[in-house]
Amino acid sequence: MTENTQRVVVVTGGSRGIGRAICKTLAAPGSKIFFNYFSPADREAEEAAAAETIAAVKQAGCEAVGIWANVAVSEEVTAFFDQIMADAGRVDVLVNNAGITRDGMMARMKESDWDAVLAINLKGPFLCTQIAARIMGKQHGGRIINMASIVGVRGNIGQANYVASKAGLIGLTKTAAREYAARNVTVNAVAPGFIETDMTAVLPEKVKAAMLSAIPLGRAGQVEDVAAVVAFLASDAAAYMTGQVLHVSGGMFM
Ligand code: NAI
C-alpha cells in the first residue's frame, strides 16, 4: 500500500450520491480517482452529473477520470480496468458502490427486476473485485470496500431483490477478505441506513417519515456521513481490519 495520498482509487457509481461524496472525500493531491457510472434511462443527465464529480475532485488537486461502464457486464468491467492500468498502472483502493433498486412486494416481483438488481448490486462487485484483487495482490496490498446496506442484515418489506443482493454482498465481502488476506488486501463493507440521495428521494413521504422516526440520532444520513467511514476503511488506520461490516445508520440498526 502507498500512503493515504498518491493513491489510485477506483469507485463504481461515482457520478452521483454516495459515490460522488466518496470521490470527493478520497480526492488528494497526487492521487488519481477513476470512477464509472451508468444510467441508460437518461444518459445526458448522468454525463452531466459525472462532469460535476470530475470538477469537484479536480478542485482538490486530484486527477479524475469518469468512464461510462456497466458493472454488470464483464467486458465493460474488463475494459474499465484495462483503461485504468494503461493510464495509472496500479489500483490501491476499490469501492464497489454502484447499486440500484427495483422495489416491489415479492408476490408481484418481476423476474427481470430480480435479475437487474442482482446483476448490478452483486455480480458487479464480484467482477470488479476479481480484477482489482488480482492487481492488488501483485502489488502486495490494497483495500476493497463494498457498499452494502442495513437491510442486507435485517431484511426489508418490498425489497426482496435488493436485500438479497446486499446480504450476498456481505457474504462476498467475508469470503474475499479470507481469500485475499494473504496478499495484504483487506475487504470490508459499509452498511448505510437511510441516506438522502436520488435513490431515496423517490420514496413516498410516508415511508420517509417512518424511516426517520426509526433513527435514534433523529436525522437522515448525509452522503458525507458514509464517505467518511469509507475514507477510514481506505486509510492506513484501518490496516488491521478485514471482513467487517460497519453500519452507518444513525443507530437505525444496532
Ligand atoms: P444513486 O442512485 O444516487 O447513485 C447510483 C450511482 O450508481 C450512480 O452514479 C449511477 O451512475 C451508478 N450506477 C447505477 N447502475 C450502474 C451500473 N450498472 N454500472 C455502473 N454504475 C452504475 O445511489 P446512492 O443512494 O448514492 O447509493 C450508492 C450505493 O449505496 C448503492 O449501492 C446503494 O445500494 C447503497 N445504499 C444507499 C442507501 C441510501 O439510503 N441512499 C442506503 C444503503 C445503501
Side-chain angles (χ1 to χ4, degrees):
M1 277 287 286
T2 53
E3 281 299 308
N4 285 343
T5 53
Q6 305 190 332
R7 295 182 299 187
V8 177
V9 175
V10 180
V11 179
T12 68
S15 56
R16 287 184 278 119
I18 294 170
R20 177 190 286 166
I22 293 167
C23 290
K24 285 167 71 174
T25 304
L26 295 184
S31 285
K32 278 190 177 186
I33 297 200
F34 293 86
F35 68 90
N36 69 356
Y37 56 99
F38 183 78
S39 182
D42 191 350
R43 180 155 185 172
E44 212 175 304
E46 204 63 38
E47 296 284 4
E52 263 186 62
T53 301
I54 290 173
V57 170
K58 284 190 172 163
Q59 211 163 25
C62 181
E63 279 187 49
V65 180
I67 297 164
W68 177 269
N70 184 350
V71 290
V73 177
S74 175
E75 294 74 18
E76 296 191 29
V77 172
T78 301
F80 176 54
F81 279 96
D82 282 350
Q83 185 169 341
I84 294 165
M85 288 306 281
D87 188 332
R90 59 186 292 123
V91 174
D92 297 295
V93 179
L94 165 67
V95 185
N96 284 309
N97 164 78
I100 61 161
T101 51
R102 292 280 187 278
D103 295 351
M105 297 302 278
M106 204 169 150
R108 288 185 297 277
M109 186 169 281
K110 287 193 229 136
E111 189 181 341
S112 58
D113 285 342
W114 172 272
D115 288 344
V117 169
L118 268 291
I120 293 171
N121 295 11
L122 185 55
K123 185 178 156 189
F126 164 71
L127 293 173
C128 293
T129 298
Q130 245 190 349
I131 298 180
R134 193 180 307 133
I135 297 165
M136 290 171 178
K138 287 188 190 144
Q139 296 164 188
H140 306 294
R143 296 292 162 79
I144 298 174
I145 298 142
N146 294 326
M147 201 53 66
S149 166
I150 61 166
V151 301
V153 182
R154 54 152 232 205
N156 205 23
I157 290 172
Q159 290 197 304
N161 48 2
Y162 183 79
V163 167
S165 74
K166 296 301 187 182
L169 187 55
I170 290 171
L172 181 70
T173 300
K174 293 178 182 178
T175 297
R178 289 185 187 277
E179 290 195 7
Y180 295 113
R183 295 287 186 143
N184 193 31
V185 176
T186 69
V187 188
N188 292 289
V190 174
F194 173 43
I195 313 298
E196 278 179 345
T197 67
D198 293 347
M199 183 179 273
T200 49
V202 296
L203 293 171
E205 285 308 318
K206 247 173 75 179
V207 173
K208 284 193 219 170
M211 291 216 278
L212 271 177
S213 70
I215 301 173
L217 282 179
R219 66 170 177 88
Q222 300 303 306
V223 291
E224 293 79 12
D225 293 320
V226 180
V229 176
V230 171
F232 163 67
L233 286 172
S235 77
D236 294 341
Y240 198 54
M241 290 178 69
T242 197
Q244 303 305 304
V245 182
L246 297 187
H247 295 268
V248 186
S249 69
M252 199 178 183
F253 178 84
M254 59 174 82

